[in-house]
Amino acid sequence: IETNALGNVLGKARQTPCFIGSVKSNIGHLEATAGVAGLIKAALALKHRQIPANLHFETPNPQISFADLNLQVPTTLTPWPTPATGTRFASVNSFGFGGANANVILEEAPAQANQVTHADEPAVVGPLLLPLSARSPEALHAVAQSYRNQVSTGNAMLIDICYSAALRRGHHSYRAAFAAHSPAELTEALDAFLADETHLDVATGQATDAPIKLSFVYAGMGTQWWAMGRQLFHEEPIFRDAILEIDGLLHPLAGWSLVDALLADEANSQIQQTRIAQPAIFAVQVGLTALWRAWGVEPAAIVGHSVGEIAAAYAAGALSLADAVQVIYHRSRLQQTTAGQGTMLAVGLSESAVAPYLADYTDVVSIGAINSPTSITLAGDTAVLKTIGT
């Protein structure tokens, strides 16, 4: 019934035979997905301009007059000739006894006027990431080799290659990631991986089936340095926007610019001053949180230590950004007033083991924090702590 319908509508009026075939001859009956498989097969045939063989076609159905209907079943791979109209079309039928009745007509895509080359690459500020994966180390090497070949041909943009590898492919347990600004850098990184050599822009590993619980840990004072966050500020708009937003909230309170403090050169940096350091640490932590979340990285748990508790409270949703800026401003302002009145000493002992060292100085030195069973922070008079430390 179906073949006669196709012949009457599409075959008889043609000067050349209309080729017909079935995807079932390739992969069997796929139930509800048979139509999609046929669509894929037709699209690939149009792309390559070749008509695939219909497998296992040996004895035609005697009830079908292929010659009268001007239909032909291809039994070998056949070049798809250019029709008089100049455009190739394919018709995909899915007429099933189960009730599915559909027909889709595909037209081949127009030819590209120019092939994209590396010279047409758009400007990219930061490095691009190419994530590759496979089910075995050998397969991962084979995948890397295929990408190395693709990059070296110059027929696709690097940004498109990385995008498709990240978001349009399945990710298996054996993995490798490559960072690069250009096709040349990516080729170099891929070559190093294929040669089993260590490379700064290549990371490898194996994923596990166990669910990964990620934590964001926000550190306290002591993490600051004069150029921290500078590269991110210049290269990552999301990070920069977070810093600018905090600066807009902080400046009316503090009377100084957070951006100027972060971008000051080493000779003029005041990053070690408590009133500058604490808001700067907070801002960098908030900016990193925004950047990670923009990349789809979400924590299962959030914890903060000392000044890091404020950024942690904001990241967890316990404080709004405006309230968190208020807290960090007043905390740093008040702690600045105690500068020079004492210091802290990190000791690798337990609370009980450190007690004898404090017996004669309980009025000027105390335990500031119990960080772990074997890590204590002492706080108090600077000269006394120097004595205890020696």
Side-chain angles (χ1 to χ4, degrees):
I1 295 172
E2 183 176 353
T3 307
N4 277 278
L6 292 173
N8 287 322
V9 175
L10 301 175
K12 289 184 176 181
R14 299 166 54 95
Q15 294 181 352
T16 58
C18 177
F19 287 96
I20 63 171
S22 173
V23 74
K24 294 177 186 176
S25 71
N26 301 107
I27 52 180
H29 201 311
L30 296 183
E31 300 294 341
T33 60
V36 174
L39 183 68
I40 294 172
K41 180 178 179 180
L44 290 172
L46 283 169
K47 176 183 177 182
H48 296 287
R49 298 181 177 181
Q50 291 184 313
I51 301 172
N54 200 70
L55 304 180
H56 314 300
F57 181 77
E58 298 173 357
T59 305
N61 188 330
Q63 299 185 45
I64 301 175
S65 178
F66 288 94
D68 293 339
L69 295 171
N70 200 22
L71 299 177
Q72 183 175 333
V73 179
T75 56
T76 59
L77 183 64
T78 304
W80 195 328
T82 303
T85 60
T87 303
R88 296 169 180 82
F89 289 91
S91 174
V92 183
N93 302 294
S94 183
F95 300 148
F97 281 176
N101 294 289
N103 178 271
V104 175
I105 299 175
L106 302 181
E107 177 183 358
E108 69 174 328
Q112 292 183 340
N114 296 302
Q115 286 290 328
V116 176
T117 65
H118 290 159
D120 302 313
E121 287 278 357
V124 178
V125 176
L128 295 171
L129 181 69
L130 175 66
L132 302 181
S133 67
R135 291 187 173 90
S136 69
E138 296 78 14
L140 183 58
H141 267 248
V143 171
Q145 183 64 62
S146 68
Y147 271 86
R148 200 270 184 215
N149 296 340
Q150 182 182 18
V151 172
S152 64
T153 62
N155 289 331
M157 286 190 180
L158 181 59
I159 192 169
D160 291 335
I161 294 173
C162 294
Y163 172 86
S164 298
L167 301 179
R168 294 294 181 264
R169 290 181 65 104
H171 298 289
H172 305 296
S173 57
Y174 290 89
R175 301 182 179 184
F178 306 84
H181 291 85
S182 66
E185 288 187 6
L186 181 56
T187 300
E188 179 185 336
L190 287 165
D191 284 341
F193 172 75
L194 292 169
D196 294 324
E197 298 175 353
T198 301
H199 193 282
L200 182 63
D201 295 324
V202 179
T204 60
Q206 184 177 1
T208 64
D209 294 332
I212 298 175
K213 293 184 177 180
L214 182 68
S215 297
F216 282 2
V217 180
Y218 297 81
M221 283 284 287
T223 57
Q224 73 276 7
W225 60 290
W226 70 272
M228 67 177 184
R230 186 165 304 181
Q231 184 176 357
L232 285 173
F233 184 86
H234 290 308
E235 296 183 0
E236 293 293 346
I238 292 174
F239 180 87
R240 180 169 59 251
D241 289 345
I243 299 296
L244 293 174
E245 184 177 3
I246 294 171
D247 193 21
L249 294 169
L250 180 65
H251 193 277
L253 299 172
W256 51 270
S257 169
L258 172 67
V259 174
D260 289 347
L262 288 172
L263 300 184
D265 57 36
E266 188 171 10
N268 297 309
S269 176
Q270 297 178 299
I271 198 66
Q272 297 304 331
Q273 293 188 25
T274 300
R275 67 183 184 90
I276 304 293
Q278 292 190 12
I281 292 171
F282 166 81
V284 170
Q285 290 174 338
V286 170
L288 285 170
T289 301
L291 188 58
W292 280 110
R293 282 179 162 162
W295 290 342
V297 180
E298 288 286 350
I302 291 173
V303 63
H305 168 70
S306 185
V307 69
E309 295 174 15
I310 304 168
Y314 163 73
L319 290 176
S320 68
L321 185 61
D323 288 344
V325 170
Q326 288 268 358
V327 173
I328 195 64
Y329 164 67
H330 289 295
R331 185 186 197 277
S332 61
R333 176 182 61 83
L334 292 172
Q335 286 200 351
Q336 182 71 37
T337 63
T338 65
Q341 299 181 25
T343 190
M344 292 187 293
L345 176 66
V347 181
L349 297 172
S350 66
E351 182 181 7
S352 58
V354 81
Y357 294 95
L358 308 182
D360 297 331
Y361 308 108
T362 55
D363 57 335
V364 290
V365 174
S366 61
I367 295 178
I370 302 174
N371 302 311
S372 76
T374 58
S375 177
I376 300 294
T377 299
L378 303 179
D381 183 83
T382 302
V384 173
L385 287 175
K386 287 183 178 180
T387 300
I388 294 175
T390 56

